[in-house]
Amino acid sequence: MSLTDLQNCDTWPLAFRNKCKDHRYYEIVEEALEGGFEYHHLSLEDHSGNVRGIQPVFFVRQNLVEGVLGKVRSVVDLVRKRFPRFLTMRVLMVGCAAGTGDLGACDEQDEAWVANALRASLRTYARQNKASLVVLKDFPAKYREALGVYTSNGYARIPSMPMTRLVLHPFQDWAEYFHTLSKATRKDLRRKFRKAERAPKIDMEVVNDITPLVDEVHPLYLAVHKRSPFKFETLTKNYFRALGQRMPDRARFFIWRQSGKIVAFSFCLVCGDRIYDECMGLDYSVALDLHLYFYTLRDVIAWSLQQRLKYYYSNPLNYEPKLHLDCELVPLDLYVMHTNAFLNPIFRRAIKYLGPTRHDPVLHKFPNAHEL
């Protein structure tokens, strides 16, 4: 089904109604993101003709070693001088092009049914559309039971770069939380904050709609995005505009100004007692000198505590500071299968060596790293 078909479908709003990124978010992503994504939606019906799930999927040409460093990447780059498309394939991806994946069951009790119905369809659908791989992208570990049918039917499950979570509800404010951190971390943060406080005053505001400021904040997002070793999607101005206009109940944009100029921003989604820190932007002419990453993180956590939110989730990467802030890992999984039945057994073994978490030494220092 196309997005136009879905917008006339009564069951579409039911598919993600209890998820932070509901059907509105998927519509925004499809309409606003660029980068060669080819979107479709699978309507999953039972034998009685009842729609029990609607699952967004998309096709994309993917570099399988995105973010892989060291000797493996050196060998791949050498081969690509002769064969430019080596380990680059057309992929059918299940989930969301900008964020974690969810099963689009119209009733949460049907998640296992939806998972099995998808499994029965995906390989054929991928081959019909000339895709070499099927990937369930960044599904939280809570789906491991429902998706267990995949690992027993030709799919490899490998850990994706995890999110992190900070439990907020034991604390009344930033000061109380701060004093639970290690002595070395407190000393380091105080030094960073003092340096920022010696500079001209930095003011923060929180808005639901970033539209009037999008031309100022988007270059800051691109500056951070450019530095990331993982560049799956690039968020656009239209993406940020649409979030504030169509999801004002959940979108929160944090803006930091110094002498009237925006020097940082953070986009978050608030859902119930949780806040998800999705992305940020920094003005690198001052960000490193003033330690703005830590300054903004402190303000977002402090605001969340003021709002009596219970959990702070942050997006993948930059794990070193999150480790010292006593965050825990939130595992995300990739389920991967080659559509060629002969090659798939070989591919299942090889793909585990390309898993992104193998190449980040900090991840294994987290107390719950074994959960990956």
Side-chain angles (χ1 to χ4, degrees), residues 63-69 72-73 76-77 80 86-87 354:
N63 175 12
L64 300 188
V65 292
E66 184 73 41
V68 173
L69 304 174
V72 173
R73 186 55 180 265
V76 172
D77 288 343
R80 282 179 173 169
F86 177 63
L87 289 180
L354 299 178

Side-chain angles (χ1 to χ4, degrees), residues 22 24 28 206-210 240-253 267-271 303:
D22 60 19
R24 297 172 297 175
I28 290 168
V206 185
V207 299
N208 300 88
D209 186 0
I210 200 68
F240 290 117
R241 289 190 191 101
L243 285 164
Q245 294 167 1
R246 293 157 62 178
M247 298 181 68
D249 54 318
R250 297 187 179 178
R252 300 292 184 275
F253 295 93
F267 160 57
C268 300
L269 288 171
V270 175
C271 312
W303 182 89

Side-chain angles (χ1 to χ4, degrees), residues 3-66:
L3 185 56
T4 302
D5 296 331
L6 287 180
Q7 290 169 340
N8 296 314
C9 177
D10 293 338
T11 53
W12 172 226
L14 302 178
F16 298 96
R17 60 180 168 176
N18 295 321
K19 306 295 191 296
C20 182
K21 294 175 178 174
D22 60 19
H23 73 287
R24 297 172 297 175
Y25 186 83
Y26 283 85
E27 292 176 3
I28 290 168
V29 166
E30 180 166 344
E31 293 169 358
L33 254 62
E34 302 168 356
F37 299 114
E38 179 188 326
Y39 299 97
H40 300 274
H41 309 82
L42 306 182
S43 177
L44 303 168
E45 301 177 6
D46 60 23
H47 291 296
S48 301
N50 298 314
V51 177
R52 296 174 67 176
I54 297 176
Q55 188 66 51
V57 300
F58 58 96
F59 293 96
V60 66
R61 182 162 289 281
Q62 178 66 12
N63 175 12
L64 300 188
V65 292
E66 184 73 41

Side-chain angles (χ1 to χ4, degrees), residues 24 30 126 138 142 144 296 302 308 333:
R24 297 172 297 175
E30 180 166 344
D138 293 342
K142 67 178 182 178
R144 286 178 181 174
T296 60
R308 295 294 182 260
D333 297 324

